[in-house]
Amino acid sequence: MKENKNISKVLWGLLLIIAAIYIIVSRYTGFPRINVFKLLLTILFVFMIIEGMHTIDFYKILLPAACICIIYDKYLRITAITPWPVLCAALLASIGLTMLFGKKEKQHIEFKVKSKIIQENSNNHINGENIMLRNSFGSTIKYINSDNFCFAEIENSFGSMAVYFDNANIKNNCANINIYNNFGETKLFIPKEWHIQNNLEHFFGTVNNYGIPSGTSDIVLDIKGQTSFGAISIYLV
């Protein structure tokens, strides 16, 4: 995580320096002048694309690229396909490529727990050490009643999912949750006594925290993942 933050700082620094040079140079050369706000947006989208390439996240690659096309559609002479056609094409392509190839981090995690993971699609009350939950274009509620919960992978696309962990027991004092939320909302209800390590990322989305932790337990729950055009909400109960 620290290494990723250092890389982000370097990329941001380089992009901002390039933008500063361009603003000055464009005043004295034949380069087209670009609105400063558009230039800052371009820097943001380029950074997202680079980050998406690093994590093999097609949403972070194609959607920012589509936004850049919209900003410079007149220069590129593509006004016939902006804004909505190029955005829809980028969204559909992102969904299709993600279905075909998945994400770099997710593939790595599934490989590690491949032999133990439980595919669960229908029952609302779930028991097991390693759990996979999936929801698309719908609304669902899941209750984790595991005697020894260790790992959960949660995928939610274009829907709403609520997962309750208040009846889950963690014997080794450590468990992990990985979440991939796209165009929907995922809600986690977690005992306030647990210590939570929140490593969630968001891309045109939000990560919300509700409740006050008491921290009276030795249990540590590590939550990783990301949300794109949606929300992940953590409720301490």
Side-chain angles (χ1 to χ4, degrees), residues 142-189:
K142 304 294 182 182
Y143 301 91
I144 310 301
N145 301 321
S146 301
D147 296 327
N148 183 22
F149 171 69
C150 296
F151 172 82
E153 180 163 305
I154 301 171
E155 295 182 9
N156 180 53
S157 300
F158 295 93
S160 175
M161 175 180 280
V163 186
Y164 289 81
F165 291 89
D166 49 326
N167 283 329
N169 293 317
I170 300 176
K171 293 182 179 180
N172 296 325
N173 290 337
C174 182
N176 298 276
I177 299 175
N178 293 326
I179 306 174
Y180 302 96
N181 182 78
N182 298 305
F183 293 89
E185 183 179 15
T186 299
K187 300 178 181 179
L188 304 182
F189 295 86

Side-chain angles (χ1 to χ4, degrees), residues 188 190 196 198 200 207-211 223 232-236:
L188 304 182
I190 298 170
I196 298 176
N198 188 337
L200 292 168
V207 176
N208 305 309
N209 295 279
Y210 301 98
I223 305 176
I232 297 175
S233 299
I234 300 175
Y235 295 86
L236 301 181

Side-chain angles (χ1 to χ4, degrees), residues 27-97:
R27 299 289 175 176
Y28 299 99
T29 64
F31 291 155
R33 296 184 180 182
I34 300 174
N35 181 278
V36 174
F37 179 70
K38 288 185 177 181
L39 188 59
L40 292 175
L41 279 178
T42 303
I43 293 172
L44 175 63
F45 291 136
V46 169
F47 176 79
M48 289 178 178
I49 292 172
I50 295 172
E51 190 179 61
M53 290 179 177
H54 176 68
T55 59
I56 313 182
D57 188 328
F58 297 106
Y59 290 96
K60 287 187 176 181
I61 297 172
L62 297 180
L63 289 172
C67 292
I68 291 175
C69 290
I70 294 170
I71 293 174
Y72 301 104
D73 57 354
K74 292 182 181 178
Y75 295 106
L76 299 173
R77 298 181 180 179
I78 56 172
T79 54
I81 61 171
T82 58
W84 296 114
V86 70
L87 277 177
C88 290
L91 173 59
L92 294 175
S94 299
I95 295 172
L97 289 169

